[in-house]
Amino acid sequence: MRLKPVRFIGHNIGPFDHVELNWDKDSRYTLIVAENGLGKTTLVAAMAACLSFGENNLFPSVHFRRFAHDEEAFAYLELELDGTTDWIARWVSQTPPHKFLDIAPSPDLSSAHRFGVGALDRDHGACSANLYSVASSWSHRWDKQLKARKVKALAAAYGVSRDLQQPEIREHQELDKNSLGDILNPFAPVPSSVIFQWVANQHINRALALAEGEEDEAQAYLAAIERVEQLLGEGLEHPITFQVERNPFQFRVKQNGVLLSVDQLSDGTRSFLSWPLDYLMRASRVNWANPADSAIAPGLILVDEIDAHLHPEWQRRVMPAISRLLPETYIIATTHSPFVVGAAKDAQVFRIRQDLSVQTGLDELYGYPADLVLEKAFVPSLYAPELERKLNRLSELAGKVAAGDVTPQEKGEHDALLRELAEVNPWLKNLLALSQMKGSLA
């Protein structure tokens, strides 16, 4: 059972007048690449806004309007859940955006039948009853009705400003709806104290279950935590375990045999730990339709700049590691890293060009070395701008020399550039040697 994206349409949002993304059936991940300022974060935030529902959830009203151009702005996300297609949308005006969508207009969306649409949000958004339970189970509407709902999948969004900090935890503290925060707001911080209080609670519950002879139940309490420990141990080769100590009661992390506070971990480790740990915490508390789903945590995760704070070696490992940790979860991530793109098997790659059009057909980049991925998906040149200018000028002059159509001044410029650039470019160094040999023979 998988939750997979099918189509996204954004109209008058961020830098885009109109943008469409269409997904392949067999993709396992989506990676969005672009230069700064071309709307990668906007796409992630707009998808999250579509998924965000709840009476007290301010994310759609505050942040969707933040990057909406005008009253015609809308975001539309079509998803497939367990073989069934549903759509969800959010718009600013009072009129649904039927002009661009192949859905039948309806004066009252609460009674619409297209894809089983059955919910109308106060901030002009609609979604199906099926996806409503998927997405809003972790909005602020955490009440008895939602808690009792059988959830098939979980949706989450994480921004680039994610971090974990040393928590103050109690021996046991019940986590309420207000402490969890909004899982679908990529602008919200990851709730460190809640995450580690949950870890402490799991350890305590495990100890109580063992005392009562319930070994299977005891193991279930630590299943999600052990998956994250395994992620770091096998995926990133940094063995980490979470420990709760008594006298005094405190939370500690053991890394390579050394006990550390969370604040003593590297920025990359904290950034990488933050969102999978938060996601699995929430997944462990969902009332799953299939109880076996709790450990697998099927769903959809949006991550802005998945490579943030990661060394290239970790960037190379992050997607394969997440694939093992969350095998049934679809990841949509933005990245600036050719190492991430080159190591993501079965990924669909969308590149936002300078003119804001979307380039596809980059899915074959898996297994390519980073320099080739850079040239094909990120930058037009691998050289520094000034060096590139000189190389282009040298190429132009070399063509004139070869054609015998060069002035003495241009020939002097050509020779000077060749000598200068031969110091930094091995190929040109060989070319200079051949040129000098030819000159001596003449």
Side-chain angles (χ1 to χ4, degrees):
M1 197 279 294
R2 298 283 292 276
L3 179 66
K4 298 183 65 174
V6 176
R7 179 168 57 148
F8 172 79
I9 301 176
H11 187 70
N12 289 353
I13 59 171
F16 301 104
D17 291 331
H18 193 79
V19 60
E20 295 193 25
L21 305 178
N22 292 282
W23 276 269
D24 296 334
K25 266 188 176 182
D26 300 324
S27 63
R28 174 69 179 81
Y29 312 100
T30 292
L31 296 174
I32 303 173
V33 301
E35 296 179 29
N36 291 331
L38 295 185
K40 299 188 302 299
T41 299
T42 295
L43 293 178
V44 168
M47 292 179 201
C50 286
L51 288 162
S52 299
F53 286 86
E55 290 179 354
N56 300 317
N57 187 345
L58 296 180
F59 168 60
S61 60
V62 173
H63 292 290
F64 185 68
R65 289 179 179 276
R66 165 179 159 182
F67 50 76
H69 292 184
D70 51 39
E71 290 299 305
E72 292 187 355
F74 72 84
Y76 168 95
L77 182 61
E78 194 172 315
L79 300 172
E80 181 183 281
L81 177 62
D82 202 14
T84 302
T85 302
D86 290 283
W87 66 266
I88 47 181
R90 186 164 300 280
W91 57 91
V92 177
S93 68
Q94 297 293 327
T95 305
H98 299 294
K99 177 181 177 182
F100 295 98
L101 307 178
D102 54 354
I103 58 176
S106 172
D108 179 9
L109 277 172
S110 63
S111 63
H113 298 293
R114 175 74 176 184
F115 294 134
V117 175
L120 177 64
D121 180 79
R122 68 173 185 173
D123 188 44
H124 311 307
C127 70
S128 74
N130 201 11
L131 290 172
Y132 191 77
S133 68
V134 169
S136 65
S137 292
W138 288 97
S139 72
H140 291 298
R141 291 189 64 185
W142 178 250
D143 52 28
K144 292 182 180 179
Q145 181 183 359
L146 281 173
K147 192 169 184 179
R149 194 189 304 270
K150 296 290 187 179
V151 176
K152 292 183 178 179
L154 186 62
Y158 299 96
V160 66
S161 300
R162 52 188 181 268
D163 191 13
L164 291 174
Q165 299 173 347
Q166 181 65 27
E168 294 182 9
I169 59 175
R170 302 178 184 177
E171 290 197 13
H172 194 283
Q173 178 180 343
E174 189 65 31
L175 303 178
D176 60 28
K177 61 181 182 181
N178 294 319
S179 65
L180 289 170
D182 186 0
I183 194 175
L184 284 159
N185 183 353
F187 303 102
V190 175
S192 298
S193 59
V194 178
I195 291 174
F196 291 116
Q197 183 65 58
W198 168 73
V199 173
N201 290 354
Q202 298 298 89
H203 278 273
I204 293 168
N205 290 336
R206 176 179 179 273
L208 292 173
L210 285 174
E212 296 173 2
E214 300 291 343
E215 294 187 6
D216 291 342
E217 182 181 345
Q219 180 58 32
Y221 281 118
L222 294 188
I225 297 170
E226 289 174 348
R227 289 174 72 85
V228 178
E229 294 175 347
Q230 181 183 9
L231 165 70
L232 286 166
E234 295 181 3
L236 303 182
E237 297 183 344
H238 272 251
I240 277 184
T241 57
F242 303 110
Q243 298 192 359
V244 178
E245 299 182 334
R246 297 184 61 82
N247 302 321
F249 190 82
Q250 60 180 335
F251 182 87
R252 304 281 278 175
V253 176
K254 181 177 279 189
Q255 182 177 30
N256 296 325
V258 179
L259 281 174
L260 304 169
S261 70
V262 175
D263 293 335
Q264 290 173 319
L265 297 172
S266 69
D267 288 347
T269 302
R270 296 202 308 271
S271 173
F272 184 76
L273 269 176
S274 61
W275 61 273
L277 199 56
D278 178 76
Y279 183 77
L280 287 172
M281 171 194 69
R282 298 169 189 268
S284 72
R285 305 186 69 210
V286 165
N287 186 24
W288 293 102
N290 179 356
D293 286 346
S294 182
I296 299 175
L300 172 69
I301 300 181
L302 308 168
V303 187
D304 194 19
E305 296 192 27
I306 197 169
D307 53 291
H309 302 295
L310 299 185
H311 182 275
E313 178 61 25
W314 284 29
Q315 293 172 23
R316 199 168 61 89
R317 295 172 179 268
V318 61
M319 297 307 292
I322 289 298
S323 175
R324 291 191 293 273
L325 177 70
L326 302 170
E328 296 299 322
T329 301
Y330 196 99
I331 308 292
I332 299 177
T334 70
T335 183
H336 290 288
S337 170
F339 297 99
V340 171
V341 174
K345 189 176 182 180
D346 300 323
Q348 183 162 1
V349 181
F350 295 115
R351 180 189 180 192
I352 311 301
R353 297 189 182 100
Q354 282 279 354
D355 63 359
L356 300 180
S357 63
V358 179
Q359 179 185 358
T360 58
L362 298 170
D363 312 337
E364 78 284 355
L365 295 178
Y366 170 69
Y368 276 43
D371 57 344
L372 290 181
V373 177
L374 269 173
E375 280 192 303
K376 287 180 173 292
F378 286 89
V379 294
S381 172
L382 301 182
Y383 297 104
E386 179 61 18
L387 181 58
E388 181 186 12
R389 184 191 66 78
K390 291 181 178 180
L391 285 168
N392 288 339
R393 178 57 176 164
L394 177 60
S395 177
E396 178 186 350
L397 293 171
K400 290 189 173 185
V401 170
D405 183 24
V406 63
T407 66
Q409 183 179 1
E410 289 175 331
K411 182 62 168 62
E413 183 185 359
H414 168 274
D415 294 345
L417 278 173
L418 184 58
R419 288 193 298 271
E420 176 189 349
L421 297 177
E423 297 299 319
V424 295
N425 188 302
W427 185 84
L428 290 178
K429 191 171 187 178
N430 293 335
L431 187 63
L432 176 62
L434 288 173
S435 175
Q436 291 171 340
M437 183 182 298
K438 182 179 178 182
S440 64
L441 289 175

